[in-house]
Structures are given as C-alpha cells and as structure tokens.
Amino acid sequence: MRILLNSLAGVTAITIAILVYMFTYAKRRNVINHSYKVKKETIHGKELSVFFISDIHRRRIDRRLLDKVKSFGSMDVIIVGGDLAEGGVPLSRIEKNIRMLATLGPIVFVWGNNDREVGESEIRRIIRKYGGIVLDNMDTSIPSHPLWGVCGTDDPSSGHVDVKASLKNAESYRYLIVAAHNPYLFRKVEEICSPELMLAGHTHGGQIRIGRFSLHPPGEFIEQKDRAKLISNGYGTSIVPLRFGAAPESHVIKINY
C-alpha cells in the first residue's frame, strides 16, 4: 500500500509540475523580430515597422511587453489580428489592452472568430475611442508611409467575408499588407493579388504540441523573394490557459523598401 501511495504521490507531483510549467510557458512575453527587403523598381531607402499581435483572448497587455516592443524602435502601425477577446472577458480588460497598444502607434484591427462574443458594437467603440480602425473587408493607408496600404478581411465565422471588397483599392497603393485572422484566406487573396506581406493567426500553433503532433501546424514566417507571410502562434490561449511546444508570440516586422 505504501508503495502505491508513494507512486500516486510521485505521479501527482509530476503532473502538477507539468501543468505549472505549461501555465508559466503560456504567459511568456515573446516578441519575435523579422526583417526583409522589398525589391521593386524603385528603392526608397525607407523602413516600415509593423507590430503584429493576434489571439490575445484573455491575456493582459502589460508594460513589460510594451517595453520589449519599444526596444526595437518606434512602430508605424499596430495590427491586431483578431481574437482580441472572447466571451467572458471584461470590457474593461479589452479597453485597457487597446489603450496600452495604442501607445505604440496607430491601431488597425481585423475580426477573429471569438471577438463578437463580447459584442460587436463594444469592440468597435473601444477601437474608435483610441483612434483605431476596424478593417472588415476594407483598406486604409499607413499615415507615416502613405505608399503602403493595409487591407483587412472579416472572419469566415461572420458569414460576411468579402476578399474582393477588401482588395478593391489594392492598386491604389505601391505596397500592400493584407491582414486576416484565418490563414485559410491567404489562398483567396493570392488569387487576386500578391501583397508584400500577409498576416494571420487563429491556429495558436496548435497551442499544445507533442513533437510533431498537434491540431494545427506551428506558426511560421515565410519569405518569398520580395514578399513574406506570417502565421503567428498568437499571444493568448483558448479553452485552457496552457501551452506546450508552441510558445506565445507577437511580432515586430521591419520592411526595407
């Protein structure tokens, strides 16, 4: 009996240690830096700085994350790639997160599959309050780099995705960023145009990965000639506040053009 009890105690202790590790791992404030050059006929000798964060869900944006982002210099645009929130997240937390992110630069937001659970009108109100723009099948320019446009799609969960509408003004810009919560939309975008940068999240990199085994592939940054695609692991978690093998991440992207 004593051997059995000792074995159970050992298994319990190991299980608790693993869960504590997964919980702590999920709270990391990783900021990954990517850089590449856009090679077109005219090189302007400029650099565009983009901060991309998706899938915040229930997490809090704090000063320590902002300090890490600021260590890379000033940002020209902050792109929030959907799932800023989910059902049950207090509006006060959502507002504080946006207020914190707005200190980094102008905010552009695209819908995720969970955001509307807290109320579409409330999300719109909070984004507007801090000078941000909601891109649901729309586009906007980047004020400090007017040659660049950002096109954003709604999320497939809304039933109102219109990739063509989001790209209708694509030719008005010299360079283009397309943001979508779900990377499934990349293929539909590429049937119409070839943006210099495409951004998405949604998959959480699988969130819990055992070697190669997980529900989704890991996030990745893919550079193709003078273009790039980023699928982020995301910053927060869903269902359980745990991660393993798919670290939380946000991204600073430096583009020379």
Side-chain angles (χ1 to χ4, degrees):
M1 178 65 72
R2 179 173 295 178
I3 293 175
L4 177 60
L5 290 175
N6 287 340
S7 297
L8 288 174
V11 170
T12 301
I14 291 170
T15 300
I16 292 173
I18 291 173
L19 290 174
V20 169
Y21 171 80
M22 293 172 71
F23 180 80
T24 304
Y25 184 72
K27 297 299 182 183
R28 293 182 179 181
R29 300 172 181 83
N30 298 323
V31 180
I32 302 175
N33 185 31
H34 314 276
S35 61
Y36 68 104
K37 178 178 285 188
V38 172
K39 300 174 183 176
K40 285 201 172 183
E41 295 85 352
T42 303
I43 301 299
H44 300 274
K46 296 183 178 180
E47 183 178 74
L48 175 71
S49 297
V50 178
F51 179 61
F52 179 67
I53 187 168
S54 70
D55 302 281
I56 297 172
H57 289 281
R58 294 182 175 273
R59 284 197 74 176
R60 292 175 170 86
I61 303 298
D62 61 15
R63 184 60 56 186
R64 282 178 284 181
L65 174 66
L66 299 188
D67 288 344
K68 284 189 174 184
V69 177
K70 290 177 182 178
S71 71
F72 293 99
S74 61
M75 297 294 114
D76 296 300
V77 64
I78 313 303
I79 301 178
V80 182
D83 281 0
L84 166 66
E86 62 180 41
V89 178
L91 292 175
S92 59
R93 184 183 305 174
I94 299 168
E95 181 165 347
K96 183 177 180 181
N97 283 345
I98 290 297
R99 183 172 72 246
M100 298 286 277
L101 290 172
T103 65
L104 297 174
I107 290 179
V108 170
F109 169 80
V110 295
W111 295 103
N113 55 297
N114 294 117
D115 291 305
R116 289 182 169 96
E117 295 171 6
V118 299
E120 179 174 337
S121 61
E122 292 298 332
I123 293 287
R124 290 185 184 275
R125 177 188 64 80
I126 291 169
I127 298 293
R128 285 197 304 266
K129 181 176 179 179
Y130 294 94
I133 298 174
V134 177
L135 292 184
D136 37 12
N137 306 318
M138 295 168 54
D139 65 273
T140 187
S141 62
I142 298 176
S144 58
H145 293 261
L147 294 176
W148 285 83
V150 183
C151 298
T153 70
D154 205 332
D155 188 74
S157 62
S158 71
H160 299 294
V161 174
D162 191 336
V163 173
K164 288 184 178 179
S166 68
L167 298 172
K168 67 180 180 180
N169 297 320
E171 293 184 359
S172 301
Y173 304 104
R174 177 75 170 130
Y175 307 98
L176 197 65
I177 298 171
V178 173
H181 180 63
N182 193 325
Y184 157 77
L185 295 174
F186 282 1
R187 178 179 56 83
K188 293 182 177 294
V189 170
E190 291 178 314
E191 290 174 356
I192 300 172
C193 65
S194 299
E196 278 65 40
L197 177 64
M198 289 196 290
L199 302 167
H202 182 57
T203 67
H204 295 207
Q207 191 165 310
I208 295 175
R209 307 189 59 81
I210 309 298
R212 294 180 300 168
F213 300 100
S214 188
L215 292 175
H216 298 285
E220 58 182 348
F221 180 81
I222 305 170
E223 188 176 348
Q224 301 172 320
K225 296 182 179 179
D226 59 350
R227 302 173 55 221
K229 302 177 188 179
L230 170 62
I231 302 174
S232 176
N233 283 350
Y235 195 64
T237 57
S238 62
I239 303 177
V240 293
L242 305 173
R243 281 184 179 266
F244 189 86
E249 58 188 29
S250 58
H251 309 264
V252 169
I253 308 147
K254 301 276 190 176
I255 310 173
N256 293 292
Y257 70 100

